[in-house]
Amino acid sequence: MARKQLLALFICNLTPYLIGNSLLPLLPFYVREKGAGAGITGIYLALAFGALTAGTLAGGWLAGKTTRRKATIAASASLASLALVLMGAVGHLVGLVVALVICWFVCGVQLATVSILTGALASAGRRGLVFGVVGSSLAMGGLIAGLFAGRVVDRWGFDALFAGLAVVVLVPAVMAQGLAVPRSVAVPVRTRHQGTAATHPAIWLLLGASALAYVSHFMGGLGRPLAMVQLGFDSTAISSTGAIAGAVNLPLPFLIGWLSDRVGRRPLLVLCYLAGAAGVGSVLVASSLWHFWASQVFSAVLGVSLSVGPALMADMVPEEARSASLARFAATPWLGGVVGYAGAGAVIEAAGLAAALSIGLLLPLSSVLLVVLGRTVRPAPVPGALKRTTTTLAVAAAAPGR
């Protein structure tokens, strides 16, 4: 893949994560200033991630209906910018919810489209590396947001943060026009075997593992800033956790993606999920700022699974089913956000913050079990036309370490 193509994909993947990492650590504090309790805050954020889930799935659906990938990215970026302007303009919680839902929906469409394009452009032997480079945008978004978002809010307020993000997120609308979308990225012709390949039990185990890990991740995402507020930390300190995590983890998607091409993807996916458990569990004993930095670093390692997981998914399914499968995998973190935020808010109000974090500690361990079980489930052979793909389900199941 040409470096210009890789850079364009990286930037198109970066801006949704920049929005998320800028707003998510501070939104619980923002809505609580407007009188929302922990339960309402959890529901508010769950609605946003429901929209992100729907947008990611919609991106997969659009990939099956149109070949206009560049136009999809440009339209998504433009609508996200408009929604951010509205978030700064409205003065009540309901209007903020509507604007946030719109923003998160179109960001989901953009992320799914970039993932599908990355899967199409990356060769099988370098798939982990390419997904790793594009996936490092998550850490970069955390680093940039952590350095600037909290300081902007402390100095000029949330309106200034919304306005600045509204300008920055327009960059992919321009960068996407430089993508040379290959002819192979076309509306797929559905075969009677495609549905079987995309919904095999091995696929669902991988999807379930990712969803459970991210339920835990977002329970910690709500609990961490609330714990910091209880200890008296300000917005700059809260957002600094993202900067530290981004700086430490910036090279990891690249490194682990490259390593997964050589030693297999499943062991590294297990490592990511165990790090996620450590990230949530460490909040239970955190009392100093560096404790929260360490917690965020562990949680950020989980984000590498968004590079290794899609590469494994692309290995496991044929080209005809790849767009839908990658979109489903891309939706699992956001589905985890819906359940994690709503569940954490309810548990915090009913039983306290420690109870919510304890539940979040256990969920990634279930993810590890599902990944291990997935290796024992041999996908059915891919017949007929599907044999012409670079990697069939049968080959993926037989590959060592994957």
Side-chain angles (χ1 to χ4, degrees):
M1 182 188 297
R3 291 182 180 178
K4 184 178 179 180
Q5 294 280 89
L6 195 56
L7 176 62
L9 288 171
F10 176 88
I11 292 176
C12 290
N13 212 53
L14 171 64
T15 54
Y17 289 125
L18 180 60
I19 294 173
N21 282 290
S22 296
L23 297 182
L24 282 180
L26 302 176
L27 278 176
F29 176 69
Y30 182 55
V31 298
R32 293 194 79 175
E33 277 188 342
K34 295 183 176 294
I40 298 298
T41 302
I43 292 172
Y44 169 75
L45 294 174
L47 286 172
F49 276 85
L52 189 55
T53 303
T56 306
L57 295 174
W61 177 83
L62 283 172
K65 299 296 182 181
T66 178
T67 62
R68 303 189 66 183
R69 308 286 191 265
K70 294 188 289 186
T72 299
I73 292 174
S76 299
S78 300
L79 288 171
S81 178
L82 177 60
L84 286 163
V85 171
L86 292 175
M87 289 172 69
V90 297
H92 50 82
L93 193 58
V94 174
L96 186 63
V97 168
V98 172
L100 186 66
V101 164
I102 294 171
C103 182
W104 257 238
F105 179 86
V106 295
C107 283
V109 172
Q110 184 171 324
L111 287 170
T113 304
V114 173
S115 181
I116 290 166
L117 274 174
T118 304
L121 291 167
S123 61
R126 294 172 58 85
R127 188 170 287 142
L129 175 62
V130 172
F131 269 107
V133 171
V134 175
S136 65
S137 60
L138 173 58
M140 179 64 79
L143 175 60
I144 296 172
L147 289 173
F148 295 104
R151 287 178 170 83
V152 169
V153 171
D154 284 338
R155 180 168 295 185
W156 297 293
F158 274 92
D159 289 351
L161 179 61
F162 293 141
L165 289 174
V167 174
V168 172
V169 299
L170 287 173
V171 174
V174 177
M175 293 296 297
Q177 305 314 307
L179 288 169
V181 181
R183 292 183 179 180
S184 60
V185 183
V187 177
V189 178
R190 187 174 181 86
T191 73
R192 66 187 181 91
H193 304 295
Q194 178 179 336
T196 300
T199 59
H200 191 274
I203 303 299
W204 286 111
L205 287 171
L206 186 59
L207 295 174
S210 182
L212 285 174
Y214 278 93
V215 170
S216 167
H217 175 75
F218 287 107
M219 291 181 80
L222 178 60
R224 188 179 298 107
L226 292 180
M228 295 184 75
V229 168
Q230 289 177 3
L231 292 171
F233 292 103
D234 61 13
S235 296
T236 299
I238 292 171
S239 63
S240 72
T241 61
I244 295 295
V248 172
N249 289 292
L250 186 59
L252 284 183
F254 175 84
L255 175 62
I256 294 180
W258 171 82
L259 195 59
S260 75
D261 288 330
R262 286 154 177 79
V263 304
R265 314 209 197 277
R266 290 186 190 274
L268 296 173
L269 203 55
V270 166
L271 179 64
C272 292
Y273 293 153
L274 290 175
V280 176
S282 57
V283 180
L284 285 165
V285 296
S287 58
S288 301
L289 182 58
W290 75 267
H291 296 159
F292 291 102
W293 287 350
S295 169
Q296 188 67 61
V297 167
F298 282 124
S299 293
V301 173
L302 174 63
V304 181
S305 68
L306 297 182
S307 301
V308 179
L312 176 59
M313 182 69 73
D315 291 341
M316 294 174 68
V317 298
E319 185 176 351
E320 288 85 346
R322 192 169 293 155
S323 292
S325 297
L326 286 173
R328 287 171 183 165
F329 189 90
T332 56
W334 322 137
L335 179 61
V338 175
V339 179
Y341 276 130
V347 174
I348 289 169
E349 288 205 333
L353 180 58
L357 294 172
S358 298
I359 294 171
L361 172 62
L362 297 175
L363 292 177
L365 304 180
S366 300
S367 299
V368 170
L369 178 61
L370 292 180
V371 171
V372 173
L373 287 175
R375 188 175 182 181
T376 68
V377 180
R378 184 181 181 87
V382 182
L386 301 187
K387 288 184 178 179
R388 66 177 178 269
T389 60
T390 56
T391 308
T392 67
L393 290 171
V395 171
R402 296 188 177 181

